[in-house]
Amino acid sequence: MDDQNAAVKEVLNNNDAAAVAEIQKYLEKQKNIPLNIAITGESGAGKSTFVNAFRGIKVGEEGAALTGVVETTSEVTPYPHPNYPKLTLWDLPGIGTTKFPADKYLKLVGFEMFDFFIIISADRFRENDVKLAKEIQRMKKKFYFVRSKIDNDIQADRRKRDFSEERTLTKIREYCVQGLWKEGFEDPQVFLVSSFELYLYDFSLLHETLERDLPAHKRDALLFAMPNISLKIINKKKEAFQSKIKYYAALSAVGAAVPVPGLSAAVDLSLIVKVVTDYAAGFELDKSSLERLAHKAGLRYTDLSAVIKSELASVQITKELIMKVLISLAGPVTSMAAEEVSRWIPVIGTITAMGLSFVTTYKVLNYFLNELADDSVMVFEKALALMPSP
Ligand code: GDP
């Protein structure tokens, strides 16, 4: 049993203040893990577009990186994620534009702070990209080659009589990889990406690779900030949220719990508000995320949001709203079957008021999580069906 699990037990059995503080500290720390991603490549490679797409922000929107202007990036510019400001993408100037050798360049941009580098090119990787990658490697940092604008290549090849998407992708990949071999990279991996359609090609693979390479404690920070480009991502987010429910349930049990008509035990409403607001943001069911997605899919906002069942999506989540929903659910969803309570007996000891509050909050949060995850899937499927394919 890890420290946090032991703390849950301590909280529920002895209402131990130190254990409460430990859980609070753990959850707070999880939320504040910084992740700094450096995006570099020559001017016009598609850095700013990638930065915007990753953060789900449209060109021209507040906070968007400027695109398509010759040399728009002349300095290191931070672009925090709108919902997860601890995750920042840094748009770095192309090394060729700075006239610095790779080692000086890395010092100049402050390489130590970056968790990893993404080197973008719209063509093969050139001398400067290679020099930089080698220097990043020497500094014991990770880098990933991204070949951008793949939608353009597919479009161009589509006109050919014997067009096959797979063949076009293989051709680009081999071209890039062979270029890197020649430069002495033994086993280079190149991710083929279209920033206009992150759900296609290798962006998911890039995420999986980054996830694997990151230290375990940073993985969720990346996951939550990932756009919902696949059902797999939505499911992973759900699992990650799920794994934290017991800690929140323990805090609710010792927090300012209020009785809710129809619930078997009192719950801490403000805590539930905070957690469910996180769910809505993670599943991109907050109003601005939905508006952006509707726009991208060419749908009216109301048509997209029509597939949503939960009352908690696309609205400001308040205590009153949670209370209202809980009252309407009381009974089948929130009452506890004896076997459910007994499942927790090893953790909560005897069934005290606190134990009941723990189990009730646990059930309530699970319910909201399932609802919002299901809605996220519905929204994803509705929007994806209408997304352009090249
Ligand atoms: P930067 O100078 O590296 O920041 O490059 P930008 O992001 O400004 O992109 C340069 C141009 O390429 C702009 O006109 C973008 O719209 C276009 N572009 C960038 N990424 C993509 C992509 O994935 N697909 C297509 N078709 N165009 C892209």
Side-chain angles (χ1 to χ4, degrees):
M1 195 186 270
D2 62 26
D3 289 353
Q4 283 80 39
N5 275 336
V8 169
K9 213 167 174 173
E10 272 301 301
V11 169
L12 295 172
N13 291 328
N14 306 318
N15 196 359
D16 182 282
V20 172
E22 181 173 337
I23 293 179
Q24 272 163 340
K25 205 172 97 199
Y26 166 75
L27 290 170
E28 207 45 44
K29 207 167 135 202
Q30 294 282 309
K31 273 192 160 180
N32 286 308
I33 290 172
L35 199 59
N36 290 292
I37 306 174
I39 313 291
T40 185
E42 295 311 317
S43 176
K47 296 181 294 295
S48 317
T49 310
F50 183 85
V51 164
N52 289 338
F54 191 104
R55 298 178 309 144
I57 288 184
K58 285 202 308 278
V59 177
E61 213 175 312
E62 198 190 327
L66 291 175
T67 64
V69 185
V70 177
E71 209 35 73
T72 46
T73 340
S74 57
E75 53 193 31
V76 178
T77 318
Y79 291 101
H81 190 282
N83 285 343
Y84 298 93
K86 287 278 162 190
L87 182 145
T88 305
L89 291 136
W90 297 79
D91 195 341
L92 308 191
I95 184 166
T97 62
T98 63
K99 312 280 181 277
F100 286 107
D103 56 340
K104 294 257 168 37
Y105 171 91
L106 280 181
K107 281 220 178 71
L108 182 80
V109 299
F111 74 92
E112 297 94 341
M113 66 173 295
F114 299 117
D115 291 283
F116 54 84
F117 289 74
I118 289 181
I119 303 175
I120 302 193
S121 174
D123 188 12
R124 68 186 171 81
F125 294 88
R126 305 202 177 265
E127 199 189 340
N128 276 329
D129 302 316
V130 169
K131 276 191 189 149
L132 183 60
K134 287 191 175 159
E135 195 58 27
I136 295 171
Q137 213 164 26
R138 213 171 64 83
M139 295 297 168
K140 307 259 177 310
K141 293 270 175 182
K142 294 247 177 215
F143 63 87
Y144 303 86
F145 289 117
V146 164
R147 165 58 160 81
S148 62
K149 309 190 192 180
I150 294 302
D151 53 311
N152 274 348
D153 301 83
I154 297 284
Q155 279 285 8
D157 270 12
R158 198 177 279 284
R159 284 179 221 115
K160 293 182 183 158
R161 222 169 0 108
D162 61 343
F163 169 74
S164 133
E165 179 176 304
E166 206 39 56
R167 213 165 22 236
T168 301
L169 296 177
T170 307
K171 194 179 69 192
I172 303 169
R173 207 185 308 277
E174 281 177 357
Y175 179 60
C176 291
V177 165
Q178 275 164 11
L180 290 168
W181 271 339
K182 281 194 200 126
E183 296 293 344
F185 288 99
E186 265 179 29
D187 191 16
Q189 195 173 7
V190 176
F191 298 90
L192 311 186
V193 168
S194 161
S195 294
F196 296 160
E197 290 131 8
L198 290 183
Y199 51 93
L200 297 174
Y201 319 121
D202 289 346
F203 187 71
S204 294
L205 186 64
L206 175 63
H207 170 244
E208 279 165 27
T209 309
L210 295 174
E211 192 175 50
R212 207 182 48 226
D213 290 355
L214 274 173
H217 71 285
K218 293 224 172 194
R219 288 179 193 150
D220 281 358
L222 178 70
L223 173 65
F224 288 132
M226 278 291 287
N228 286 347
I229 46 155
S230 65
L231 293 178
K232 203 166 164 190
I233 292 276
I234 296 176
N235 261 327
K236 277 189 180 179
K237 286 184 181 177
K238 184 177 166 184
E239 276 169 26
F241 281 133
Q242 223 289 326
S243 69
K244 307 254 156 46
I245 288 186
K246 59 178 179 286
Y247 307 124
Y248 286 114
L251 292 184
S252 169
V254 293
V258 294
V260 177
L263 286 199
S264 2
V267 292
D268 182 344
L269 283 178
S270 44
L271 180 138
I272 295 180
V273 166
K274 269 198 237 140
V275 179
V276 177
T277 303
D278 283 350
Y279 294 169
F283 290 125
E284 299 179 345
L285 291 170
D286 54 296
K287 187 133 194 252
S288 27
S289 300
L290 284 166
E291 278 171 350
R292 280 196 286 264
L293 184 62
H295 180 268
K296 191 164 180 347
L299 274 168
R300 279 197 312 223
Y301 173 76
T302 43
D303 290 338
L304 182 62
S305 57
V307 298
I308 294 174
K309 292 209 189 76
S310 171
E311 287 182 61
L312 302 175
S314 77
V315 291
Q316 174 82 26
I317 296 166
T318 60
K319 280 200 244 180
E320 292 69 33
L321 178 62
I322 293 285
M323 175 77 112
K324 187 179 138 233
V325 177
L326 287 179
I327 292 172
S328 73
L329 294 172
V333 173
T334 51
S335 68
M336 279 170 285
E339 68 270 21
E340 255 167 319
V341 178
S342 59
R343 188 156 83 82
W344 287 104
I345 297 277
V347 178
I348 60 182
T350 51
I351 292 294
T352 57
M354 238 180 357
L356 278 179
S357 176
F358 171 85
V359 181
T360 306
T361 306
Y362 189 90
K363 273 203 84 164
V364 162
L365 287 178
N366 257 308
Y367 174 80
F368 287 140
L369 178 61
N370 284 330
E371 282 266 291
L372 290 170
D374 288 352
D375 279 342
S376 183
V377 169
M378 298 298 285
V379 165
F380 172 78
E381 284 177 343
K382 169 106 188 177
L384 189 73
L386 296 162
M387 292 291 197
S389 54

